[in-house]
Amino acid sequence: MTTRTYSIEFFPPKTPEGMEKLRTARAQLADAMKPAFFSVTFGAGGSTRDRTLETVLEIQRHGNEAAPHLSCIGATRDDIRIILQTYKQHGIRRIVALRGDLPSGMAEPGELRYASELVEFIRKETGDVFHIEVAAYPEIHPQAKSAQDDLKNFARKMKAGANSAITQYFFNADSYFRFLDEAHALGVGEPIVPGIMPIGNFSQLARFSDACGADIPRWIRKRMEGYGDDSASIRAFGLDVVTAMCERLLEGGAPGLHFYTLNQSGLMLEIWKRLGL
Ligand code: FAD
């Protein structure tokens, strides 16, 4: 059994107070979990790009590996070349390569159409400097023509030179295991790490899930809706559901877990404690 990879995702804070909170969360999570890396999201269209770098450097300063996300939508090859050079100069060695989504009001799709083209471009420009992670969708990317098409596109992206993948979050472990089997059948042998979303705020989760195509099973949705404003019950039930799913994923052979923390440490620390890893 190879070593499992546990990782944590942050978004770049918008304010100095947000950055201060993130520092505390990073320190607590690094101490408790010793994650392989912290990844930092990236917004297409310029506004958050510098903040991604700033956040990554902040994480690196404390001796943790940091992996910036990089999306190609709305960007030229030159834009991406410059970002890659900057990351390389700063000693960054892992990138999460994505197509991204066009922000509303932005019409120019950019020069690279799909994440597979971005992965190819990164390899062509920088050889083996970076470990490249890509995104996977056990419950199907919302814009995919069909589930079969999406899977083939995923396999193409891996063959373009990705080293491993992180999934969109899900609450149905079977969708992940099925996806693994199908990806293996298409020749994908690299690790596909499940992305895990701790449940803190249910209305926020429902909004995210509608947008990204993650299914909240009826038995979870109905209970959560029934709790109304009772945040303690939402938290307790969410912790049970997510911890049980993590256990099942690891027992079933998942090569690690990637946690979408939304820059909070509390729920994450509790899940980690319960998993006893
Ligand atoms: P792709 O792999 O390019 O796929 C996009 C769609 O195109 C899919 O429907 C696919 O089936 C289809 N497709 C792919 N190749 C082809 C082809 N050759 N021909 C026809 N169709 C094709 N978004 C951000 O903006 N910033 C982030 O930091 C960020 N981080 C993320 C991290 C993870 C782990 C995940 C799972 C998602 C993240 N996202 C992020 C969201 C992501 O950008 C969106 O889901 C986006 O819509 C798709 O990106 P992708 O890299 O999966 O695209």
Side-chain angles (χ1 to χ4, degrees):
M1 174 88 206
T2 50
T3 328
R4 287 175 169 146
T5 303
Y6 299 104
S7 52
I8 289 170
E9 183 169 315
F10 289 145
F11 60 84
K14 287 201 178 89
T15 60
E17 297 74 44
M19 187 57 105
E20 199 45 51
K21 280 195 192 142
L22 187 72
R23 276 189 198 111
T24 308
R26 185 212 53 79
Q28 291 171 329
L29 293 168
D31 192 39
M33 294 176 61
K34 317 249 173 320
F37 62 94
F38 289 92
S39 82
V40 181
T41 61
F42 181 90
S47 65
T48 71
R49 289 181 181 189
D50 294 345
R51 286 195 270 116
T52 298
L53 176 63
E54 196 189 321
T55 310
V56 159
L57 296 181
E58 162 68 28
I59 293 167
Q60 272 192 337
R61 248 196 302 281
H62 292 89
N64 296 120
E65 182 174 349
H69 295 205
L70 172 60
S71 67
C72 58
I73 208 154
T76 63
R77 287 187 177 80
D78 270 348
D79 292 336
I80 294 170
R81 196 171 279 127
I82 291 167
I83 295 173
L84 290 173
Q85 286 310 322
T86 310
Y87 287 166
K88 203 171 135 182
Q89 278 159 14
H90 283 289
I92 289 157
R93 292 295 174 261
R94 188 188 291 259
I95 284 180
V96 184
L98 305 142
R99 183 197 70 178
D101 294 308
L102 270 185
S104 55
M106 197 170 147
E108 281 301 317
E111 291 180 359
L112 302 170
R113 287 167 310 160
Y114 299 110
S116 56
E117 296 179 3
L118 176 62
V119 173
E120 249 172 58
F121 184 75
I122 298 174
R123 285 285 174 244
K124 188 160 90 38
E125 291 286 315
T126 58
D128 286 335
V129 167
F130 297 107
H131 177 115
I132 304 179
E133 306 268 357
V134 290
Y137 300 86
E139 296 183 330
I140 331 294
H141 185 265
Q143 291 156 2
K145 264 201 257 152
S146 69
Q148 292 74 8
D149 237 57
D150 204 31
L151 194 74
K152 282 188 203 139
N153 291 332
F154 171 70
R156 179 180 303 128
K157 184 159 67 171
M158 294 307 296
K159 289 197 177 107
N163 302 98
S164 45
I166 300 169
T167 77
Q168 183 57 277
Y169 68 86
F170 53 84
F171 297 104
N172 181 348
D174 289 328
S175 70
Y176 169 77
F177 290 125
R178 162 68 61 158
F179 183 83
L180 274 195
D181 289 347
E182 290 177 342
H184 289 163
L186 289 184
V188 176
E190 293 81 7
I192 302 174
V193 173
I196 306 294
M197 180 70 91
I199 306 176
N201 174 331
F202 183 65
S203 51
Q204 185 189 43
L205 178 76
R207 244 191 355 264
F208 281 173
S209 304
D210 284 346
C212 73
D215 184 47
I216 304 179
R218 179 183 161 86
W219 67 274
I220 297 180
R221 186 182 283 273
K222 284 287 179 194
R223 278 180 179 76
M224 287 291 187
E225 284 168 357
Y227 290 133
D229 294 334
D230 178 358
S231 53
S233 296
I234 291 176
R235 183 185 153 93
F237 179 63
L239 278 168
D240 285 350
V241 167
V242 173
T243 309
M245 188 178 70
C246 290
E247 282 166 348
R248 191 162 163 228
L249 291 167
L250 293 173
E251 279 161 20
L257 299 168
H258 176 82
F259 293 98
Y260 297 102
T261 60
L262 306 178
N263 294 7
Q264 309 284 324
S265 59
L267 279 172
M268 192 51 258
L269 290 168
E270 181 60 26
I271 292 171
W272 191 252
K273 193 169 93 192
R274 291 185 185 198
L275 287 173
L277 293 166

